Amino acid sequence: MTATRGGWAADALQRITAAPLGRYQSAVVRIGFAGTWLFFLLREFPHRHELYGPEGPWSWELGRRLIARNDSFTVLMWTDSGLWFETVYLVSVLSSVLLMLGWRTRAMSVVFMVGVLSLQNRSIFMGDGGDNVIHLMAIYLVMTRCGRVWSLEARAAARRKAGEEAQAPAGPGPGPDRAESGLEPGPGTGPGPELDRAESEPEPEPEPDRAGPGPGTDYAEPEPDRVGPVLWSVLGFLLITGTFLNEKGWPVLLLLWGLWAGHGLWWLVNRYAPDSQPHILLDAVANLLHNAALLVIMVEVCLIYATAGWYKVQGSRWQDGTALYYPLNLDYFTPWPALSGLLASGGVMVMVLTYVTVIVQVAFPFTLFNRPLKNVLLVFMMLEHAAIAVVLGLPFFSLAMIAADAVFLPTVFLVWLGARAAAGRKRLLSRSRPSGSEAPAPAP
């Protein structure tokens, strides 16, 4: 019995340290939250000074007093300069774009987190539930290896590996690795996402190159990386400057120092000792942090729905089935008055939607052990948030929740979705080419 338990523990440890699980799920979460924050920043760009600027209703001095009490981190408190505010806002927009595209995801996830924390902590009264979710997920994403698929990094790595295989001499060669053969460990049973089980992966994941990855990327470069060290040095200079200017939020600043040093160590080991034991150790630690962060994201989503559902159960309006009637008659939540009035006029519909909402939110965490039922409820919740975006006029809250829900999407579906998107892109590019550029058909 003891040997069996020891073998199970060893297998579990091997599974969570050998490879980053849920790579497609983490990629969807990365794209979803980066895109949501980007759209929000662009939507509020004309109003950015009123929301977060030093001359807004919540002035810089009021923000400094509040942060002195709650010990929040924000780089906007380093100075009340308008130029500094514009710089932080534009860098937040740029980091959202680059993180969504998957360019140097390690560095961009950190810059993305700093931008989210800085703007939201500057004016905490401007946010809602969706902003709270983005706030938390921005921190969790830093610990994930979310650029392994569906990213510029993965695309460059796939091209690089294809070039190496084309130049390699013909021969039997080694067999496919576990990731390419679809034998990478999946979840089996339990509440985890569909973690890369029996999947055909269009973007193969190569082993690290001898050149070593740059400090800001999760993949190696075929030649010495110049952008990575420069980016690492610039971020280090800003971190040193911020250490002297910062007054509150020291836990976040210490986290940034740890990430900066860790990324530098990762580059050194991959550059000068790619086959050493320290490299194996660092890779295992990175996989462990990724898998732990993904688990935390899943638990966070379950807690959101569980607490929301159980609080609703205690409300009298939810108990009598009339809760949804009231927001449908509030001007603040009626961007389409005719549609809201039509929905509110149906008493039976309001009652059914009210009860179904409570049931789904309370039941969802318990359905994770039943994959078909979980997938059904997941579709319902995503459709419900899409309806909230349209009917109640809360698009960014809905996008944030849909992005969080995506961590539970099956890998098979995500692989199929990626293949369809790639096929659609290929057809679109083929149609946009001039007819004369097509190669002539061979003669019969």
Side-chain angles (χ1 to χ4, degrees):
M1 182 64 70
T2 303
T4 302
R5 291 179 179 177
W8 178 87
D11 291 342
L13 182 62
Q14 170 69 16
R15 179 176 174 183
I16 63 177
T17 58
L21 305 177
R23 292 170 298 164
Y24 286 93
Q25 286 79 8
S26 61
V28 170
V29 172
R30 181 198 86 229
I31 296 170
F33 280 101
T36 300
W37 186 241
L38 172 64
F39 297 151
F40 173 79
L41 294 179
L42 295 179
R43 167 62 178 82
E44 300 298 341
F45 189 82
H47 316 291
R48 63 191 184 281
H49 294 286
E50 290 78 7
L51 292 176
Y52 307 112
E55 304 300 330
W58 188 252
S59 65
W60 187 85
E61 180 61 26
L62 290 175
R64 188 183 66 83
R65 292 181 185 179
L66 179 62
I67 289 175
R69 297 177 58 184
N70 61 18
D71 197 29
S72 299
F73 173 83
T74 170
V75 300
L76 291 177
M77 288 294 104
W78 293 356
T79 174
D80 60 350
S81 168
L83 178 60
W84 176 242
F85 165 73
E86 297 289 355
T87 301
V88 172
Y89 199 95
L90 292 178
V91 169
S92 298
V93 172
L94 180 61
S95 65
S96 300
V97 174
L98 295 178
L99 181 62
M100 185 170 62
L101 296 177
W103 184 81
R104 298 189 178 270
T105 52
R106 290 187 177 183
M108 289 303 105
S109 63
V110 177
V111 179
F112 175 79
M113 179 192 71
V114 172
V116 171
L117 297 183
S118 297
L119 291 174
Q120 290 189 353
N121 290 338
R122 169 62 181 83
S123 300
I124 62 174
F125 302 107
M126 298 297 178
D128 56 17
D131 294 301
N132 295 336
V133 176
I134 295 175
H135 190 106
L136 294 172
M137 296 302 173
I139 300 175
Y140 303 151
L141 276 175
V142 171
M143 302 299 174
T144 65
R145 307 182 81 169
C146 54
R148 308 299 278 185
V149 296
W150 292 352
S151 66
L152 295 179
E153 292 176 359
R155 186 179 180 86
R159 289 179 174 177
R160 187 161 60 250
K161 186 172 184 179
E164 293 174 354
E165 292 177 349
Q167 296 175 0
D177 60 20
R178 293 175 65 84
E180 294 175 356
S181 62
L183 298 179
E184 183 172 332
T189 58
E194 320 298 332
L195 300 179
D196 305 321
R197 188 178 188 182
E199 64 187 32
S200 59
E201 188 173 315
E203 299 92 358
E205 186 177 322
E207 294 296 326
D209 208 333
R210 290 297 183 270
T217 182
D218 211 18
Y219 287 104
E221 299 293 337
E223 64 276 341
D225 183 24
R226 296 180 178 84
V227 177
V230 171
L231 180 62
W232 184 78
S233 301
V234 171
L235 294 177
F237 173 77
L238 294 176
L239 195 54
I240 294 174
T241 305
T243 301
F244 290 99
L245 296 176
N246 194 67
E247 297 180 357
K248 293 293 180 179
W250 288 104
V252 176
L253 197 64
L254 292 176
L255 173 63
L256 294 177
W257 272 112
L259 293 170
W260 183 77
H263 289 173
L265 179 62
W266 175 262
W267 181 82
L268 287 175
V269 171
N270 278 276
R271 180 68 176 87
Y272 297 106
D275 298 320
S276 63
Q277 290 296 324
H279 173 270
I280 297 175
L281 176 62
L282 289 178
D283 191 61
V285 171
N287 292 332
L288 180 61
L289 288 176
H290 166 91
N291 296 328
L294 197 63
L295 177 62
V296 170
I297 292 175
M298 295 160 56
V299 172
E300 185 70 40
V301 175
C302 291
L303 288 176
I304 291 173
Y305 284 118
T307 54
W310 285 108
Y311 271 108
K312 287 181 175 66
V313 168
Q314 302 175 46
S316 59
R317 293 293 175 264
W318 291 95
Q319 293 175 6
D320 60 26
T322 61
L324 295 184
Y325 172 83
Y326 299 98
L328 292 174
N329 288 276
L330 294 176
D331 293 338
Y332 185 79
F333 295 109
T334 53
W336 313 99
L339 178 59
S340 299
L342 178 63
L343 293 175
S345 62
V348 176
M349 180 182 297
V350 170
M351 181 184 66
V352 170
L353 291 177
T354 300
Y355 286 144
V356 170
T357 299
V358 176
I359 293 172
V360 169
Q361 291 184 353
V362 172
F364 179 73
F366 302 101
T367 64
L368 297 182
F369 298 95
N370 187 307
R371 188 174 301 175
L373 183 58
K374 179 263 295 184
N375 292 336
V376 172
L377 293 187
L378 193 61
V379 171
F380 177 85
M381 290 191 301
M382 288 185 169
L383 292 176
E384 180 185 37
H385 285 118
I388 290 175
V390 176
V391 178
L392 300 182
L394 298 172
F396 301 112
F397 165 78
S398 299
L399 285 175
M401 290 307 305
I402 291 175
D405 295 339
V407 74
F408 295 105
L409 288 174
T411 297
V412 174
F413 169 75
L414 293 176
V415 172
W416 174 84
L417 186 64
R420 298 287 76 74
R425 173 179 173 275
K426 186 176 181 180
R427 287 195 299 268
L428 183 63
L429 292 178
S430 63
R431 292 177 181 177
S432 62
R433 294 173 184 168
S435 57
S437 64
E438 297 181 358

